[in-house]
Amino acid sequence: MPEESSIESILIADCGTVITKLLLLERVEGNYRFVAQAETPTTLNPPWSDISVGIVHAINEIEQITGRPLYLHGRLLTPRHNLQGVDAFVVIMSAPEPLRLILAGLVREMSLESARRTATATYTNIQAILSREGNMRSPQEMWARVIRDSEPDVILLVGGVEGGATRPVLELADAIALASYMLEKGQRPMVLYAGNSALRARVTKLMGDITRIEVVDNVHPAIGVEHLGPAQVALERIYAEKRLTAAPGVDTLSQWSRLPVQPTATAFSRVVDFLWRREGNPDRGVLGVDLGAANTIVAATFDGRPYVTVYSRGIAYGPVAWVQEHGIAPLLKWIPEDIEEEEVLTLLHNRALRPWTVPQEPRELWVEQAVVREMLRSALAVAQSTWDTGRATQVSGMMPRLDPILVSGGGIVHMPRPGQALLTVLDGLQPLGISTVLLDVNRATPALGAVAGVKPLAAASALEAGTLVSLGTVLSPLGRAHHGDTILKVSIMYEDGGKLDVEAHYGEIEIWPLLPGQRATLELRPSRRFDVGLGPGRGGAVQAIGGLVGLIVDARGRPLVLPDNVDQRHRLLNRWLWDVGG
Amino acid sequence: MFVSYTIVNPLTIIRTTRRLPRKGEVLARVGDPVEPAHIVAQANEPPDFRIIDVARELDVPVKKTATCVRVKDGDNVNEGDVLATRGGLGARAVRAPISGVIVGKGRGRLWLEAPPTLIRLNALVPGTVVTVLPGEGVVIETVGAHIQAAWGNGREAFGVMRAVVRAPKNPMRPKHIDASAQGAILVGGSKIDEETLEHAIEMQVRGIIVGSIPPSLMKRLETVTFPVIATEGIGDMPMCQAIFDLLRSIDGREAAVSGQWQAGSSFKRPYIVTPMPTQAGNPVDPESPPAVGNRVRVLRGPYASASGIIAEMPTGAVPLENGARMPGVYVDVGKERAFVPFANLERLL
């Protein structure tokens, strides 16, 4: 690969569970821009079983679009020579199956809860939880049976605060060693020990030559204290080693580029962190959500602390299991017309059978949007349990101050109208205060996160050059009033000197004109009982930037409550839909 | 533009991968002719086991259990055999809870393992072994009719095909299943309901192929011992005409039916393979781009499950019923011409 300073063209492959996307980023008149993109089905699974097949398909499409040779004699042409090839090639991936994980610990509400939060930071599927709780006659036999039947890749062993319990942790370690010993050598799980540090040597000795063990800092060193970082980093590394580099076809890709394959979630989180640093406002966090076919990524940065959560359900492969867990009622309540449960279930099942398909009729779209709302809500609930929102905290248990909010993923980006995308995001995330909502229209954000590791300037330049499109600035006041009461008065002072005085009423979504790129100063005057992000009853002037939808006041209250009466609910949902542009 | 595909082909070269659920031993060799019942590979199911806490059962310190244990590694024991004893006051014995082999001991415990059970993998599809996947399975080559389906209940069978409805939109009913259905793989039209399924179980059919399965029946189908597969998916959809016509054309012939379906990284698709006494088949070409005249199926929207021919390939995006704009093609579906986005289109190969 050439030196960073001479990199002018970067090809990025984003291999999702269903779709592989290829993007060509190039320097054009001093700025980096996406000049071509192509999509093909991901070919990790049968009948291809080779991730490089789909990438080569997409490269051929990009060659046709740009008229530039990129691939010759079974190889990507790199580095670039004259008008052939590219300077760098990076691959991000979420396509492989998640790590199969068993959590082992002492108390579910303490160390095991920390272990669960650790596991959400990367692509994992928790197969079982082994704990010391309950009165088990032969716990070791039960644990061994669970380990054998679950066939985990990794056992995350936690437990014991620093200076605390030792014997129960050793018993668990002993059972793990015993169960591992009984498995074929190639099938033994590795052990990641993140418990009481006083036991590191003894736990390591217990595992002996039986299975591989890694030791990291205690995830729960004291009561009420969590220290998840080192265990999260270790799990991400193990995922990369066991899933990314081992994926069929990655050996071919590694002949084209020396850069390691990165998890999509890591790359996405890097962009969210970059946005926080660009905004430079310690009183606000930045949130990013990427809704994929099999996973929902929630990335956030508060006070310079980045957080990433991989919720192991997405828009295609998650909903059937989600309905089994939560019932179908939460989905039905978002659909603005009469629909039978069986019809919704049918659509969800068929979406899993053919995850690449798109909704064509309005009813299919309503179901898809209902799924997006509930996946966002569920993913956010998992993510919020890992956040320390610091100075961005507004009201305990509610959303912190977030600006901007970045949304990505086919399920949102492919919605027919920007207002529908915005409404779905507002219903799913229910932000508070003042937020700009940015849409990743080309689904390029994770790719830019990968580029940032090769050429940070190129990633920053592409972000500034229109990769993210604003849907609008959203004001979401917090408070309670009667439906129709005036809760906020706004004077919109446009850059060109124009002024518009408007009022927002409780229970409504109000939209006022503020075009993409247009700036305005908003003079906010909330009623006494409402907080628009500046403190209860406090007003003030804030800057706002327009978007595809405009300036939005979501005055529907938090948490958002839908009427139980079906007719009333349908009328309300249809009105909100109408308000945001249909 | 890459468009997904489904094989619906009356005469082609079919390569069927037969894989063990876990590492084992492959018995067939390259070039071996195989019949459906032929065992091509086998593996050991993880055996049942017991961990016997001798120290606790006998109430003796861990260090002293070695003197109490009466068996050694590798010993075969029968259920009820004495494994360890403690003499003196309060004498006790620990007996084997299951028959098996002592495979390990230490820290006051014994590990007793039951005899392993063997998983045998049959060929299912008659043909010739062309590849051996060491420790995993084989690839079998067959010439014949090949149909890929959308969903299956995980079961497999080989038997005689029998079409029981006359049109792809007709659901399978109990009246279609008489005594002659015993041992046959039944081809229905649109769907099957619970009453018909229970009747089919009673009549001991060997398999069922329909267009779609109601979501409410999916759980019940997991417990059925024969394959039930849906060519279109879940819900109430007629069987695609092209698939129905091909299934009717092989009525009375023997077919291998696999209902194994898996989403995601271990992706598997149900299939029907009917061997033909010829070597003249051509392999399908999934890589070629879509073109006017291609045979296609609609996967979603108002024409879901309809098959037709690509009539026009417009450039640029076309508005859909829900307002979105997508690139796609116009398909002649019967007497109508419908726009179908590429994402909702499937070539029939």
Side-chain angles (χ1 to χ4, degrees):
Chain A
M1 198 180 76
E3 290 298 309
E4 188 196 316
S5 57
S6 63
I7 293 176
E8 298 210 332
S9 61
I10 305 169
L11 188 66
I12 310 120
D14 179 354
C15 305
T17 319
V18 176
I19 299 289
T20 288
K21 190 174 176 94
L22 221 68
L23 300 120
L24 179 60
L25 185 68
E26 281 213 300
R27 193 170 172 181
V28 181
E29 293 175 351
N31 289 318
Y32 285 84
R33 290 172 190 277
F34 287 111
V35 294
Q37 61 178 40
E39 284 187 1
T40 65
T42 295
T43 53
L44 183 66
N45 303 319
W48 305 279
S49 301
D50 184 339
I51 195 95
S52 70
V53 172
I55 292 176
V56 172
H57 260 288
I59 291 175
N60 292 339
E61 257 190 64
I62 288 199
E63 284 180 321
Q64 284 173 17
I65 295 165
T66 58
R68 171 167 150 190
L70 298 174
Y71 185 78
L72 193 66
H73 304 312
R75 282 187 69 87
L76 179 75
L77 297 170
T78 181
R80 184 170 54 102
H81 182 66
N82 294 328
L83 287 174
Q84 297 191 353
V86 290
D87 292 321
F89 175 56
V90 288
V91 182
I92 55 173
M93 230 190 259
S94 59
E97 69 173 309
L99 274 181
R100 295 170 65 85
L101 190 65
I102 283 185
L103 308 181
L106 305 185
V107 184
R108 277 180 187 259
E109 287 78 24
M110 295 172 73
S111 56
L112 276 166
E113 184 55 24
S114 301
R116 190 190 60 76
R117 284 199 269 266
T118 302
T120 62
T122 193
Y123 298 86
T124 58
N125 199 338
I126 297 172
Q127 303 291 305
I129 295 175
L130 311 181
S131 88
R132 279 292 318 182
E133 291 171 315
N135 187 17
M136 292 177 284
R137 179 171 163 73
S138 180
Q140 285 170 331
E141 183 178 302
M142 199 199 77
W143 294 332
R145 200 176 295 280
V146 169
I147 292 169
R148 188 198 64 175
D149 295 345
S150 306
E151 299 181 351
D153 299 297
V154 182
I155 299 175
L156 175 56
L157 174 59
V158 295
V161 293
E162 293 301 290
T166 57
R167 193 174 156 200
V169 181
L170 286 173
E171 278 179 15
L172 267 167
D174 186 37
I176 293 166
L178 194 62
S180 302
Y181 178 72
M182 302 317 295
L183 295 168
E184 298 279 331
K185 274 204 165 168
Q187 293 172 345
R188 293 177 187 171
M190 74 164 285
V191 175
L192 181 63
Y193 179 64
N196 185 349
S197 63
L199 295 174
R200 284 175 181 173
R202 291 167 74 182
V203 171
T204 306
K205 193 178 168 196
L206 265 175
M207 297 304 154
D209 296 330
I210 296 170
T211 194
R212 183 179 143 198
I213 179 167
E214 265 191 46
V215 172
V216 290
D217 291 356
N218 192 345
V219 291
H220 196 90
I223 290 172
V225 179
E226 272 190 342
H227 179 51
L228 310 181
Q232 287 178 334
V233 169
L235 267 185
E236 187 189 309
R237 188 169 27 76
I238 295 165
Y239 172 74
E241 175 195 316
K242 286 187 176 284
R243 289 290 187 270
L244 300 188
T245 53
V250 165
D251 48 348
T252 308
L253 305 182
S254 62
Q255 290 169 17
W256 306 347
S257 170
R258 280 178 295 138
L259 297 165
V261 179
Q262 298 171 45
T264 306
T266 308
F268 184 68
S269 156
R270 201 176 284 153
V271 173
V272 171
D273 194 45
F274 168 81
L275 289 176
W276 186 87
R277 283 166 210 288
R278 190 185 69 174
E279 297 297 318
N281 188 342
D283 293 333
R284 290 178 183 175
V286 172
L287 174 70
V289 289
D290 180 13
L291 191 58
N295 301 289
T296 304
I297 303 167
V298 181
T301 297
F302 299 100
D303 260 340
R305 295 181 300 274
Y307 297 89
V308 61
T309 300
V310 181
Y311 179 63
S312 61
R313 282 183 186 151
I315 193 166
Y317 291 128
V320 173
W322 189 93
V323 165
Q324 281 165 1
E325 206 176 305
H326 298 88
I328 201 160
L331 288 182
L332 290 176
K333 76 171 188 223
W334 291 114
I335 297 173
E337 56 185 90
D338 286 330
I339 192 163
E340 295 292 326
E341 283 185 18
E342 178 134 327
E343 186 180 345
V344 176
L345 279 174
T346 296
L347 285 166
L348 301 184
H349 278 293
N350 286 324
R351 188 74 160 91
L353 289 177
R354 287 152 180 148
W356 60 88
T357 56
V358 294
Q360 210 168 321
E361 295 182 289
R363 288 164 79 80
E364 293 176 294
L365 187 67
W366 307 145
V367 173
E368 184 117 341
Q369 290 179 354
V371 168
V372 171
R373 288 173 169 105
E374 288 302 325
M375 289 303 125
L376 289 179
R377 287 166 71 107
S378 295
L380 194 66
V382 176
Q384 277 185 289
S385 72
T386 68
W387 293 348
D388 172 2
T389 53
R391 288 164 63 180
T393 307
Q394 298 190 89
V395 180
S396 175
M398 301 284 242
M399 285 288 268
R401 274 182 217 97
L402 294 165
D403 192 22
I405 295 172
L406 162 64
V407 290
S408 183
I412 300 174
V413 171
H414 281 158
M415 283 185 197
R417 294 186 184 87
Q420 289 180 11
L422 181 75
L423 183 62
T424 311
V425 169
L426 292 181
D427 292 345
L429 301 179
Q430 300 191 23
L432 273 184
I434 305 162
S435 311
T436 314
V437 180
L438 303 175
L439 187 67
D440 175 18
V441 277
N442 293 314
R443 286 180 292 147
T445 313
L448 286 180
V451 169
V454 183
K455 177 125 183 158
L457 177 68
S461 168
L463 265 180
E464 303 294 349
T467 298
L468 304 177
V469 173
S470 171
L471 287 174
T473 297
V474 181
L475 310 175
S476 309
L478 178 67
R480 284 197 180 278
H482 293 295
H483 192 277
D485 286 357
T486 300
I487 61 165
L488 176 67
K489 291 180 179 172
V490 186
S491 296
I492 308 168
M493 285 161 285
Y494 294 99
E495 275 176 321
D496 62 5
K499 190 182 174 198
L500 185 65
D501 289 316
V502 291
E503 291 181 349
H505 304 100
Y506 191 72
E508 306 285 339
I509 291 184
E510 317 269 4
I511 296 185
W512 296 302
L514 195 56
L515 297 173
Q518 192 179 15
R519 291 179 183 276
T521 303
L522 310 180
E523 188 68 45
L524 305 175
R525 294 183 300 280
S527 68
R528 271 189 309 150
R529 285 166 298 160
F530 277 80
D531 182 354
V532 73
L534 304 173
R538 285 182 59 185
V542 296
Q543 297 298 313
I545 187 159
L548 296 174
V549 181
L551 173 66
I552 303 104
V553 178
D554 184 354
R556 297 175 299 169
R558 298 285 185 262
L560 191 55
V561 180
L562 295 174
D564 290 331
N565 180 287
V566 177
D567 291 335
Q568 280 178 13
R569 192 169 65 235
H570 287 172
R571 271 200 300 278
L572 196 59
L573 290 171
N574 277 307
R575 195 169 77 227
W576 290 342
L577 202 55
W578 177 262
D579 289 341
V580 297
Chain B
M1 173 53 71
F2 191 95
V3 168
S4 65
Y5 67 89
T6 280
I7 298 171
V8 184
N9 197 304
L11 194 61
T12 182
I13 296 171
I14 306 148
R15 292 200 158 194
T16 308
T17 301
R18 301 288 293 160
R19 210 183 283 271
L20 288 162
R22 57 183 61 251
K23 284 267 183 188
E25 182 190 6
V26 178
L27 305 174
R29 284 182 293 188
V30 172
D32 282 358
V34 289
E35 289 301 318
H38 199 121
I39 302 300
V40 291
Q42 61 186 25
N44 282 329
E45 189 88 69
D48 189 14
F49 67 91
R50 296 287 189 277
I51 296 172
I52 299 145
D53 194 336
V54 173
R56 197 172 74 176
E57 300 278 333
L58 295 184
D59 197 16
V60 293
V62 169
K63 283 179 186 167
K64 289 194 175 173
T65 51
T67 59
C68 304
V69 172
R70 302 285 172 255
V71 288
K72 58 184 185 303
D73 285 4
D75 277 1
N76 282 296
V77 296
N78 291 315
E79 186 179 336
D81 284 356
V82 173
L83 304 177
T85 54
R86 190 188 92 173
L89 201 60
R92 291 182 196 182
V94 177
R95 293 177 183 278
I98 55 171
S99 299
V101 183
I102 303 295
V103 291
K105 57 176 187 281
R107 298 191 192 104
R109 296 163 307 190
L110 287 173
W111 185 293
L112 171 61
E113 206 167 81
T117 44
L118 210 54
I119 309 167
R120 291 190 171 89
L121 178 71
N122 66 14
L124 182 67
V125 180
T128 305
V129 175
V130 289
T131 308
V132 166
L133 309 166
E136 295 181 26
V138 295
V139 180
I140 299 165
E141 190 173 283
T142 314
V143 176
H146 188 193
I147 297 166
Q148 289 180 319
W151 182 87
N153 68 342
R155 312 282 177 218
E156 298 180 327
F158 186 83
V160 175
M161 302 281 280
R162 197 157 159 253
V164 297
V165 299
R166 290 189 179 169
K169 65 176 192 313
N170 296 346
M172 192 183 282
R173 301 274 188 222
K175 67 178 181 188
H176 297 129
I177 307 170
D178 56 22
S180 67
Q182 186 184 2
I185 295 167
L186 307 185
V187 178
S190 59
K191 64 169 183 176
I192 183 169
D193 58 21
E194 191 160 8
E195 184 192 358
T196 312
L197 176 69
E198 298 305 334
H199 185 60
I201 293 167
E202 208 173 293
M203 300 308 286
Q204 297 178 10
V205 305
R206 192 163 289 178
I208 289 176
I209 303 165
V210 283
S212 51
I213 301 288
S216 53
L217 205 56
M218 292 172 79
K219 209 147 193 72
R220 172 72 180 102
L221 287 173
E222 286 170 13
T223 63
V224 171
T225 55
F226 53 80
V228 179
I229 69 174
T231 60
E232 312 305 313
I234 308 304
D236 182 2
M237 287 177 275
M239 187 179 285
C240 162
Q241 186 74 48
I243 294 178
F244 186 76
D245 290 345
L246 180 51
L247 287 171
R248 291 272 294 186
S249 75
I250 55 176
D251 191 21
R253 287 187 175 274
E254 287 184 317
V257 175
S258 171
Q260 292 205 350
W261 176 81
Q262 175 104 38
S265 53
S266 310
F267 182 75
K268 283 181 191 163
R269 243 183 123 164
Y271 58 82
I272 302 143
V273 167
T274 298
M276 297 287 182
T278 173
Q279 295 300 313
N282 290 315
V284 295
D285 175 17
E287 305 293 315
S288 59
V292 170
N294 280 175
R295 209 167 49 124
V296 291
R297 170 165 65 169
V298 185
L299 298 177
R300 209 168 163 178
Y303 294 92
S305 88
S307 53
I309 303 289
I310 297 181
E312 243 185 281
M313 297 186 70
T315 51
V318 172
L320 305 181
E321 291 81 348
N322 64 24
R325 295 173 67 85
M326 296 263 167
V329 297
Y330 285 97
V331 178
D332 280 342
V333 183
K335 290 176 183 169
E336 292 181 62
R337 183 164 288 189
F339 176 77
V340 184
F342 283 121
N344 294 351
L345 191 74
E346 194 172 60
R347 285 188 304 146
L348 299 178
L349 300 175

